[in-house]
Amino acid sequence: MKTTNSLTINTQTKDGIDIVSIDGFLDAHSAPDLEKHIETLVNSNRIKIIIDFSALEYISSAGLGVFMSHIEEIRNKNGDIKMIKMTEKVYSVFDLLGFPMLFNIDKNEEDAIFQFNNNIIGGSD
Amino acid sequence: MQYFNLTTILSVAVINKKFNHIATLIASGEYKELIKIREFISDYAKKSGLDLKKIDELVLAVDEACSNLIHYSINFDNTRTIKIDLENTDDEFVVNIQDDGKPFNPESVKSPNMKQYFLEFRKGGLGLHILKNLTDEIIYIPSSNQQDRNVLKLLKKY
């Protein structure tokens, strides 16, 4: 577990998939912590990643940038970042910028795991 | 024909509205101040009667503006400050952000084409796009001989 002033990051590994739960506020101050966390996963070739947003209260563009930093490399290695359980408030920020074009944003873990198992990559649009 | 420069035109626009002062916050030029700034905006916007969805939008717009200022204008110098005055007009809640860094008009930046953005896996440059999308009006007045701070006013209709 890793805690900063405003963001807590927890990772659980299940059948080769890393589920990263983020709790709190993802802004310009806390974004580098999540970025390092994902970088560590990618560097150890853990490239099937699900981000659980259920406890995330707030996101700004610096938070969105974290996912843009790694997605190209992860997809080139046949992995993906999938996102689950966003609150309406957090989803509205992703939606405002069209992020559902690039990412799978799912209701729950089962949907995201199904997509990994069936090699479904990319957004819904 | 008489010519006006951009600053003059914007100043005239400012004068045409009456801004009532509500509260002031001074924050230092570092990212850890963002939480404090967001709480300040949210508390007073609530008291002022802005609805919750609009508060969320305005808080995000101010966060993006201040993150940009801290990075590009103040350059992470925590001895410098951002002054935030909350104001209202008859029909708008207003966040007036002042800094003494390099002048930078957010309106001068073009919003990216998001389809292209994703195709090229770009990163960054989205803050100002959010800022423009989530406010009803932006007034920018760069520092000059008459005033020593850059002024950025974000207006949100009630």
Side-chain angles (χ1 to χ4, degrees), chain A residues 6 25 27-29 35 58-62 65-66 68-69 71-72 75 89 93 96-99 101-102, chain B residues 31-32 34-35 38 56 59-60 63-64 67 114-115 117-118 120-124 126-127 129-130 133-134:
Chain A
S6 56
F25 304 85
D27 63 3
H29 182 52
E35 185 146 346
Y58 177 84
I59 191 164
S60 70
S61 70
V66 173
M68 290 309 294
S69 311
I71 190 67
E72 187 174 16
R75 287 200 178 157
K89 178 181 162 184
V93 183
L96 174 72
L97 296 168
F99 273 65
M101 277 193 276
L102 185 66
Chain B
Y31 283 154
K32 70 178 168 68
L34 291 170
I35 286 189
R38 291 196 299 265
D56 286 343
V59 164
L60 179 57
D63 177 319
E64 299 295 350
S67 299
M114 290 310 293
K115 221 169 194 170
Y117 187 93
F118 292 130
E120 293 166 6
F121 295 103
R122 275 188 237 163
K123 197 195 163 189
L126 298 177
H129 185 46
I130 290 180
N133 265 280
L134 298 182

Side-chain angles (χ1 to χ4, degrees), chain B:
Chain B
M1 186 191 268
Q2 196 171 356
Y3 291 92
F4 294 97
N5 64 29
L6 187 64
T7 312
T8 316
I9 293 168
L10 289 171
S11 301
V12 170
V14 173
I15 289 162
N16 283 344
K17 284 189 187 205
K18 189 175 177 301
F19 294 93
N20 307 301
H21 181 259
I22 300 172
T24 299
L25 174 78
I26 310 275
S28 64
E30 48 196 338
Y31 283 154
K32 70 178 168 68
E33 296 283 90
L34 291 170
I35 286 189
K36 193 164 89 183
I37 293 170
R38 291 196 299 265
E39 280 172 3
F40 174 68
I41 308 296
S42 172
D43 286 352
Y44 280 95
K46 223 173 271 170
K47 281 182 202 156
S48 160
L50 203 64
D51 77 44
L52 284 181
K53 188 164 185 291
K54 289 182 178 181
I55 293 173
D56 286 343
E57 291 174 352
L58 183 62
V59 164
L60 179 57
V62 174
D63 177 319
E64 299 295 350
C66 292
S67 299
N68 257 279
L69 285 180
I70 291 167
H71 189 169
Y72 298 105
S73 195
I74 292 179
N75 214 357
F76 303 107
D77 179 351
N78 62 9
T79 62
R80 295 170 87 165
T81 56
I82 296 175
K83 180 171 180 258
I84 301 176
D85 286 315
L86 302 183
E87 303 165 342
N88 58 13
T89 66
D90 289 342
D91 51 6
E92 291 140 332
F93 187 79
V94 182
V95 183
N96 175 342
I97 306 166
Q98 299 144 62
D99 73 281
D100 59 359
K102 283 174 276 176
F104 175 72
N105 185 354
E107 298 272 42
S108 66
V109 178
K110 245 178 94 182
S111 289
N113 172 330
M114 290 310 293
K115 221 169 194 170
Q116 204 61 31
Y117 187 93
F118 292 130
L119 275 174
E120 293 166 6
F121 295 103
R122 275 188 237 163
K123 197 195 163 189
L126 298 177
L128 298 175
H129 185 46
I130 290 180
L131 176 69
K132 285 187 251 182
N133 265 280
L134 298 182
T135 47
D136 292 304
E137 194 183 338
I138 296 172
I139 297 169
Y140 183 74
I141 309 166
S143 56
S144 63
N145 294 337
Q146 286 83 40
Q147 60 169 48
D148 55 358
R149 291 186 155 234
N150 306 302
V151 174
L152 174 67
K153 283 187 188 243
L154 307 180
L155 287 71
K156 190 82 176 167
K157 285 202 170 88
Y158 283 109

Side-chain angles (χ1 to χ4, degrees), chain A residues 75 80 82 104 111-112 114-123:
Chain A
R75 287 200 178 157
D80 201 13
K82 300 189 191 294
N104 292 115
D111 289 356
F114 176 85
Q115 288 167 342
F116 271 123
N117 292 339
N118 292 279
N119 215 18
I120 300 166
I121 303 275

Side-chain angles (χ1 to χ4, degrees), chain A residues 35-46:
Chain A
E35 185 146 346
K36 269 179 231 141
H37 191 89
I38 294 179
E39 203 173 285
T40 308
L41 292 178
V42 176
N43 288 344
S44 4
N45 219 28
R46 288 155 67 180

